[in-house]
Amino acid sequence: MKPPLGKIVQNIAREYFASSTCHGMAYIVHPKLSVVERVCWSLVVLLSLCACISAIVIGHQKWIEKPMIVSFSAKPIPVWKLPFPAITICPQSRIDVEKFNITEVYLRARANKTLSQDEWRKMRALSHVCSSVMRSKTDYYGSNGTAGGHKEANTSTPNSERVVEQLVRMSQSLDKLFQTCMWSFNFRPCEALWTRKVTENGVCYSFNMLSSEELYTADQAFREREVNPDVRKGGLHSLHASRLRSSGWTMENGYTLKEDLLAYPRRTASEGFKGGAIVLLKMHQQNREYICSGALQGYKVTLHPPDEFPRLSEYHIRIPPMQAVSLIVKPRLLTTQRNLHRFPYSKRQCYFSDERTLRFFRVYNEQNCEFECLTNFTLASCGCVTFAMPRDNTTRVCEAHEKRCYKRAVIRLMELDELSVDAGEELCDCLPACTTIKYDVELSNDWLNLDAMLDAMIGGQNEMKGMEPMLLYVYFKDNKFLYIERVEYMNFNGELANFGGILALLSGMSLTSIAEILYYIVVRPFALWLKVQYSRAVRPVTPPEVQHTGDNSLHFVRPWIP
């Protein structure tokens, strides 16, 4: 007679408990222990296994939710492995008085006197970058585009303001603004180091920044022609800073092994001003005006990575004229291990270069992404974009009477972004790049007593009378820096060690014990079944657990368990 299935399972279970390597299980079926003792040992084993399983699940869940940690590097990184920061300088006096006397024209507009068509166009172009004080009584950049009885101001067609072209024409040239330029303690022509850029602040000048061709997508090529119309390919103009191209550097991969210290973007091998950038700027008092610039005079300066569009509306350092200023730089580098690429960006909280692309920028970073998001939102809200925003050649540039619209778009986007964060969904989804550099700055300044120096040197000659220079030093503070790295919180070996350690601590088990469980669940029953089938095929015989007695009845024999 075939024994019941439940009895077979019971026997296999008793056999497993008796021989298991898990601490305490043998006492559950020990024949010399009482029922109370067995129940106590059963509770101990059950609680131990529950604690073990809970600890393993919690540890694994933590690994899944936060697969990485941020830690300091074991070794410092030398400064020559990092790009020198890009420097963008924006003069507060945006207009060359010889090209356009804004004070005189503004006062005539306030008095409702007649202005020429060219003067109105320049005033409307300047309204995009000048202070809010610059406004006539009748709001000459209002919705109707007219002022007083000047109907000629509204005869222009859309896109006729040509804001970038007008700002470039009225701005002070590089030759008038820059006096002396040095890099790594060597004098260089300023046009070989500094190039004109158009930002939200108007016409500025940048050092060590990627060219427009490398920063923007191909459909943005016309913007470089607008900003630097006098620079052409070939000849001496090929040495112009706007013609420089990266020699292979990327933010994620750094410099290649083939690049030397002459690579672009520039890098330095030394800390201190002997390995930094020095520039002497000059501005004549006759170019100082308060209509467009407002009460604050001097310069706006910002340091940023070479592949990042400078937004001086978000962050800048104000430097007044007649001062010598030192910007002592300490880079803050954050890298990410490549093996974290297999995790989704939502857990990693950063993008690798091949995970996110932008419409207008070739290089992804948080700053470029946010600026492009603002561009798209402004275009959707106003039907146009500002003169500094990236665009294709068919996108309309906002005119002066639309200034309020794009300013409201900035505020509205900030509000919507805050609401989307509270709701758990970001509007722009602009996570940082997985490799980023920020430049922390310490500032030191002192006054330049130019008049006293000139009196002592050249006996009071007045050739430099009226000049207001500004001397700027930018250099690294140290020769080596510790950086921060995103590393994997726990790899497979660590997870396996954590799993085994918890098993051994709470139950005395190991991975072999798991194989033992599988053996008694799968292999042992199958082996017994094969043994029974083999016995039946050879000769008919009663099962080994059953013995015949004289009265032809069957009695189950309990197997001996030590």
Side-chain angles (χ1 to χ4, degrees):
M1 180 179 177
K2 184 178 179 180
L5 179 61
K7 195 67 175 179
I8 297 175
V9 173
Q10 181 181 357
N11 290 336
I12 293 176
R14 290 175 62 86
E15 185 178 347
Y16 167 71
F17 283 137
S19 59
S20 174
T21 57
C22 179
H23 295 333
M25 283 192 175
Y27 296 108
I28 298 175
V29 295
H30 200 288
K32 295 182 179 181
L33 296 182
S34 63
V35 176
V36 176
E37 292 175 308
R38 293 181 183 181
V39 170
C40 290
W41 276 110
S42 299
L43 293 176
V44 170
V45 171
L46 181 62
L47 291 175
S48 177
L49 290 177
C50 289
C52 179
I53 294 172
S54 299
I56 291 174
V57 170
I58 292 172
H60 182 71
Q61 190 66 24
K62 186 177 180 181
W63 179 46
I64 293 298
E65 292 177 355
K66 297 181 179 179
M68 66 177 190
I69 58 173
V70 178
S71 63
F72 283 99
S73 60
K75 295 181 179 180
I77 184 172
V79 292
W80 56 266
K81 286 191 175 182
L82 302 178
F84 196 81
I87 310 169
T88 299
I89 300 177
C90 299
Q92 284 293 92
S93 298
R94 302 171 177 86
I95 309 161
D96 189 338
V97 70
E98 296 179 357
K99 299 177 181 178
F100 185 66
N101 192 333
I102 186 175
T103 304
E104 186 268 333
V105 175
Y106 172 75
L107 293 177
R108 284 198 286 119
R110 291 278 294 180
N112 288 329
K113 294 183 179 180
T114 303
L115 301 182
S116 66
Q117 182 76 11
D118 182 63
E119 288 174 334
W120 276 109
R121 286 181 177 176
K122 289 180 178 178
M123 291 288 281
R124 287 170 64 86
L126 286 171
S127 67
H128 292 276
V129 297
C130 291
S131 65
S132 58
V133 178
M134 199 193 79
R135 182 181 300 178
S136 66
K137 293 180 180 178
T138 52
D139 191 2
Y140 65 85
Y141 59 84
S143 58
N144 60 0
T146 64
H150 303 284
K151 296 182 180 180
E152 70 272 18
N154 197 31
T155 58
S156 59
T157 58
N159 292 329
S160 63
E161 288 185 0
R162 300 185 179 276
V163 180
V164 174
E165 180 180 339
Q166 294 282 6
L167 294 177
V168 170
R169 286 181 177 178
M170 289 185 287
S171 66
Q172 300 183 64
S173 65
L174 186 143
D175 295 337
K176 285 189 175 182
L177 192 61
F178 288 78
Q179 177 67 33
T180 305
C181 301
M182 295 182 68
W183 165 246
S184 291
F185 224 53
N186 291 315
F187 288 98
R188 304 283 182 86
C190 290
E191 61 270 14
L193 297 178
W194 296 83
T195 182
R196 184 191 295 128
K197 298 288 182 181
V198 172
T199 69
E200 297 165 296
N201 201 66
V203 175
C204 305
Y205 292 89
S206 293
F207 165 82
N208 206 39
M209 185 175 170
L210 290 184
S211 65
S212 298
E213 183 179 324
E214 294 176 300
L215 186 62
Y216 299 108
T217 52
D219 56 359
Q220 303 287 296
F222 70 95
R223 300 192 66 198
E224 181 63 24
R225 295 192 294 270
E226 288 181 341
V227 177
N228 293 296
D230 53 339
V231 178
R232 297 291 183 268
K233 294 181 179 180
L236 295 177
H237 289 293
S238 61
L239 299 177
H240 196 275
S242 63
R243 308 304 309 168
L244 294 175
R245 297 294 181 266
S246 171
S247 54
W249 172 87
T250 61
M251 180 64 73
E252 190 168 292
N253 300 320
Y255 292 95
T256 63
L257 296 177
K258 297 180 180 179
E259 294 177 283
D260 54 19
L261 289 177
L262 299 179
Y264 192 84
R266 294 179 176 89
R267 53 179 172 170
T268 182
S270 174
E271 82 284 4
F273 66 89
K274 62 181 179 296
I278 304 174
V279 58
L280 176 63
L281 290 94
K282 58 181 179 179
M283 185 176 293
H284 203 278
Q285 287 182 354
Q286 68 178 8
N287 287 321
R288 177 182 286 191
E289 51 81 24
Y290 298 91
I291 301 299
C292 182
S293 303
L296 296 175
Q297 299 294 313
Y299 306 87
K300 291 181 179 180
V301 179
T302 185
L303 305 184
H304 55 95
D307 60 352
E308 186 176 281
F309 181 82
R311 297 193 64 191
L312 286 90
S313 60
E314 299 292 329
Y315 170 78
H316 62 265
I317 301 171
R318 286 190 177 271
I319 300 179
M322 301 296 292
Q323 283 201 359
V325 179
S326 296
L327 300 183
I328 308 167
V329 182
K330 186 175 182 180
R332 183 157 38 94
L333 175 65
L334 175 60
T335 63
T336 304
Q337 284 184 343
R338 294 297 303 180
N339 57 3
L340 291 176
H341 201 295
R342 69 179 187 274
F343 294 100
Y345 67 87
S346 57
K347 294 181 180 179
R348 196 190 323 120
Q349 288 296 295
C350 69
Y351 287 114
F352 282 100
S353 58
D354 59 347
E355 290 182 315
R356 181 79 186 272
T357 56
L358 299 176
R359 166 66 179 84
F360 298 110
F361 292 95
R362 294 183 186 271
V363 182
Y364 177 86
N365 54 55
E366 188 176 15
Q367 179 92 318
N368 294 349
C369 177
E370 290 177 350
F371 194 43
E372 182 170 301
C373 181
L374 176 60
T375 300
N376 296 332
F377 187 80
T378 304
L379 180 61
S381 302
C382 305
C384 59
V385 298
T386 67
F387 69 95
M389 289 179 175
R391 65 189 186 278
D392 55 40
N393 210 7
T394 60
T395 302
R396 191 171 64 87
V397 177
C398 295
E399 298 189 358
H401 64 274
E402 296 170 299
K403 181 178 180 179
R404 293 187 184 89
C405 180
Y406 67 71
K407 285 187 174 295
R408 283 196 301 265
V410 175
I411 299 174
R412 182 57 179 163
L413 180 61
M414 292 172 58
E415 295 173 348
L416 292 176
D417 194 42
E418 291 180 1
L419 293 175
S420 63
V421 171
D422 294 337
E425 296 180 0
E426 293 193 17
L427 183 63
C428 296
D429 193 24
C430 290
L431 296 175
C434 286
T435 301
T436 58
I437 299 179
K438 300 295 182 182
Y439 298 97
D440 297 330
V441 174
E442 296 178 11
L443 190 144
S444 173
N445 63 316
D446 197 2
W447 288 100
L448 282 175
N449 198 338
L450 182 64
D451 294 336
M453 183 188 73
L454 292 177
D455 288 340
M457 292 178 62
I458 55 179
Q461 295 183 16
N462 59 358
E463 295 179 359
M464 296 291 291
K465 187 175 181 180
M467 284 294 178
E468 296 179 334
M470 190 274 288
L471 186 60
L472 179 65
Y473 299 87
V474 182
Y475 53 86
F476 283 126
K477 182 178 182 179
D478 298 308
N479 204 31
K480 293 183 179 180
F481 300 92
L482 288 175
Y483 65 95
I484 302 174
E485 185 178 17
R486 292 187 184 94
V487 297
E488 193 171 2
Y489 170 69
M490 189 180 299
N491 55 22
F492 177 75
N493 291 336
E495 179 76 0
L496 191 63
N498 181 55
F499 179 72
I502 294 174
L503 279 176
L505 177 65
L506 297 178
S507 62
M509 299 176 67
S510 64
L511 293 180
T512 307
S513 302
I514 298 178
E516 187 179 56
I517 295 174
L518 295 176
Y519 167 77
Y520 277 99
I521 293 176
V522 179
V523 179
R524 181 62 174 165
F526 183 68
L528 292 176
W529 179 81
L530 285 179
K531 185 176 181 181
V532 171
Q533 297 300 321
Y534 178 76
S535 301
R536 288 180 179 178
V538 175
R539 57 184 176 84
V541 65
T542 57
E545 296 85 3
V546 181
Q547 293 182 357
H548 288 280
T549 60
D551 56 358
N552 294 325
S553 61
L554 295 174
H555 298 276
F556 290 96
V557 179
R558 177 180 175 184
W560 178 84
I561 299 178

